[in-house]
């Protein structure tokens, strides 16, 4: 048994059981991958994959257990490599953050700027996607951590911790009648065309849930992943916008007005997620602390050991 065999098994699954693609991803030959997997199966005494002729089609029952062990072993190997790299150069290396557009555009700039002042030798990369996509990036070791509001809590093999709370605002033109309301209601909002986030982003599920509880179905004219797009169409007079409070800046958005609606849609919590059991370099802990001052290295490590599973703000 050797590490190459384990890598081949893992990559075969990642490439949807296509051994040719797995071989390309690992810069080796398809026959070599096939032979190594067969030798591993012979050594273990079980079939890892189901087959149709010479083609593999999926995992057997013992194969699923083998894959779980392979993932753990390869994760520990990656951790060993990272430990060596960190102690060889503790203030340099690579760091990849997976996040949504809202976080990347409105929350992270100041945090990234402060981080780069502290660690100018670190190569920082930002990957954007919806919450499901960025969670998968961390699961697949394509990113070191994920930051989002929706859908990353409770994802398998991820440890998530709350960073900060925020609420939605309604954005309107300066002459809009909603500005005369002392406390905007859902019924008043539903009387106008609504422009807001796509269902996967920025607390949209809470917006939908609030209307549903009141038996209301707002006229959602346009959905977007970008608050700037939402604000642009509101400025054109096409409707009212519902966006994250962090996305409104009175100085920058001079042609709009914001109305707080936290009393209607509740508070949202943005969270940071890392892979269970992953080795985090010291500067990643520093980044998390810059993002969420309520978190520190000790608390993060305790959470990764399962000692703070229900930690909330």
């Amino acid at each position: 048994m050797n590490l190459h065999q384990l890598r081949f098994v893992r990559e075969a699954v990642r490439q949807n059981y296509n051994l040719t693609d797995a071989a390309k991803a690992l810069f080796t030959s398809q026959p070599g991958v096939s032979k190594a997997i067969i030798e591993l199966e012979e050594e273990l005494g079980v079939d890892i994959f189901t087959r149709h002729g010479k083609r593999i089609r999926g995992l057997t029952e013992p194969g699923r257990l083998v894959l779980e062990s392979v993932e753990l072993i390869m994760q520990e190997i990656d951790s060993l490599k990272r430990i060596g790299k960190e102690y060889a150069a503790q203030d340099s290396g690579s760091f990849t953050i997976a996040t949504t557009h809202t976080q990347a555009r409105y929350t992270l700039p100041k945090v990234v700027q402060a981080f780069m002042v502290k660690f100018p030798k670190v190569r920082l990369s930002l990957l954007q996607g919806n919450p499901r996509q960025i969670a998968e990036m961390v699961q697949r070791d394509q990113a070191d951590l994920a930051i989002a509001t929706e859908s990353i809590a409770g994802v398998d093999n991820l440890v998530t911790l709350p960073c900060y709370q925020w609420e939605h605002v309604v954005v309107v033109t300066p002459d809009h009648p909603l500005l005369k309301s002392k406390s905007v209601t859902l019924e008043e909002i539903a009387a106008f065309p609504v422009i807001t986030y796509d269902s996967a982003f920025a607390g949209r599920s809470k917006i939908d849930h609030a209307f549903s509880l009141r038996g209301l179905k707002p006229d959602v004219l346009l959905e977007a992943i970008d608050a700037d797009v939402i604000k642009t169409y509101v400025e054109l007079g096409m409707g009212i916008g519902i966006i994250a409070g962090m996305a409104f800046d009175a100085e920058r958005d001079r042609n709009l007005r914001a109305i707080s609606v936290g009393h209607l849609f509740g508070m949202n919590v943005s969270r940071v997620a890392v892979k269970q059991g992953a080795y985090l370099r010291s500067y990643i802990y520093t980044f998390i602390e810059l993002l969420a001052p309520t978190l520190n290295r000790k608390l993060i490590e305790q959470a990764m050991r399962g000692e703070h599973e229900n930690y909330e703000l």
Side-chain angles (χ1 to χ4, degrees), residues 141-163:
D141 299 315
Q142 296 168 339
D144 296 291
L145 58 82
I147 305 165
T149 298
E150 299 268 14
S151 305
I152 61 173
V155 175
D156 289 344
N157 300 322
L158 294 188
V159 176
T160 67
L161 286 166
C163 296

Side-chain angles (χ1 to χ4, degrees), residues 63-73:
R64 281 191 284 271
L65 297 176
V66 169
L67 180 63
E68 289 179 9
S69 293
V70 167
E71 292 285 6
L72 290 173
I73 292 167

Side-chain angles (χ1 to χ4, degrees), residues 3-262:
L3 291 177
H4 287 301
Q5 293 170 321
L6 305 186
R7 288 192 181 96
F8 294 162
V9 168
R10 181 175 67 172
E11 197 60 37
V13 176
R14 289 183 173 182
Q15 297 297 332
N16 199 29
Y17 309 108
N18 187 313
L19 294 187
T20 300
D21 289 345
K24 289 179 180 178
L26 296 172
F27 305 100
T28 187
S29 68
Q30 185 272 333
V33 171
S34 180
K35 180 182 178 183
I37 290 174
I38 291 171
E39 289 176 347
L40 179 60
E41 289 177 319
E42 290 175 350
E43 182 169 353
L44 295 176
V46 297
D47 288 336
I48 298 173
F49 297 104
T50 59
R51 290 174 170 81
H52 182 74
K54 293 184 177 180
R55 293 182 178 274
I56 63 173
R57 296 299 189 189
L59 287 167
T60 63
E61 185 61 33
R64 281 191 284 271
L65 297 176
V66 169
L67 180 63
E68 289 179 9
S69 293
V70 167
E71 292 285 6
L72 290 173
I73 292 167
M74 299 312 299
Q75 185 171 310
E76 290 301 320
I77 295 296
D78 290 340
S79 292
L80 286 172
K81 291 178 179 178
R82 289 174 182 173
I83 291 170
K85 288 180 179 179
E86 174 166 351
Y87 280 91
Q90 294 198 33
D91 62 348
S92 65
S94 62
F95 178 25
T96 302
I97 300 166
T99 191
T100 61
H101 175 86
T102 298
Q103 305 294 333
R105 172 68 177 83
Y106 302 107
T107 301
L108 292 184
K110 290 183 179 179
V111 178
V112 168
Q113 185 179 39
F115 176 82
M116 294 310 297
V117 169
K118 287 178 173 288
F119 300 99
K121 296 180 182 179
V122 173
R123 298 186 304 279
L124 182 63
S125 300
L126 284 178
L127 303 178
Q128 291 187 47
N130 64 40
R132 178 185 57 78
Q133 290 169 335
I134 66 174
E136 288 179 356
M137 290 176 192
V138 176
Q139 288 177 314
R140 292 173 174 266
D141 299 315
Q142 296 168 339
D144 296 291
L145 58 82
I147 305 165
T149 298
E150 299 268 14
S151 305
I152 61 173
V155 175
D156 289 344
N157 300 322
L158 294 188
V159 176
T160 67
L161 286 166
C163 296
Y164 58 89
Q165 293 181 322
W166 57 271
E167 61 183 15
H168 288 98
V169 297
V170 167
V171 288
V172 297
T173 52
D175 58 349
H176 200 279
L178 276 183
L179 292 170
K180 298 178 182 178
S181 178
K182 292 183 178 180
S183 181
V184 172
T185 66
L186 290 170
E187 286 78 7
E188 288 176 311
I189 293 174
F192 300 94
V194 172
I195 305 168
T196 191
Y197 296 106
D198 177 88
S199 60
F201 291 86
R204 172 64 188 275
S205 61
K206 283 197 172 184
I207 296 172
D208 293 342
H209 184 63
F211 282 114
S212 177
L213 285 178
R214 296 295 292 270
L216 297 170
K217 189 174 182 180
D219 176 18
V220 179
L221 180 70
L222 177 68
E223 297 177 315
I225 65 172
D226 182 344
D228 287 337
V229 171
I230 296 171
K231 290 185 287 186
T232 295
Y233 285 94
V234 172
E235 285 189 50
L236 292 174
M238 294 183 64
I240 62 175
I242 305 176
I243 63 173
M246 70 189 84
F248 182 82
D249 184 301
E251 182 65 25
R252 185 179 61 234
D253 301 316
R254 294 181 181 182
N255 296 326
L256 295 172
R257 301 292 183 268
I259 305 169
S260 177
V261 286

Side-chain angles (χ1 to χ4, degrees), residues 234-298:
V234 172
E235 285 189 50
L236 292 174
M238 294 183 64
I240 62 175
I242 305 176
I243 63 173
M246 70 189 84
F248 182 82
D249 184 301
E251 182 65 25
R252 185 179 61 234
D253 301 316
R254 294 181 181 182
N255 296 326
L256 295 172
R257 301 292 183 268
I259 305 169
S260 177
V261 286
H263 63 289
L264 299 178
F265 303 123
M267 298 301 295
N268 296 270
V269 178
S270 290
R271 308 180 75 90
V272 60
V274 295
K275 189 173 182 180
Q276 179 77 53
Y279 174 74
L280 303 184
R281 286 151 289 183
S282 59
Y283 53 75
I284 296 180
Y285 287 104
T286 300
F287 179 88
I288 295 174
E289 291 168 0
L290 289 170
L291 176 68
T294 56
L295 301 177
N296 55 54
R297 181 165 185 158
K298 181 179 179 181

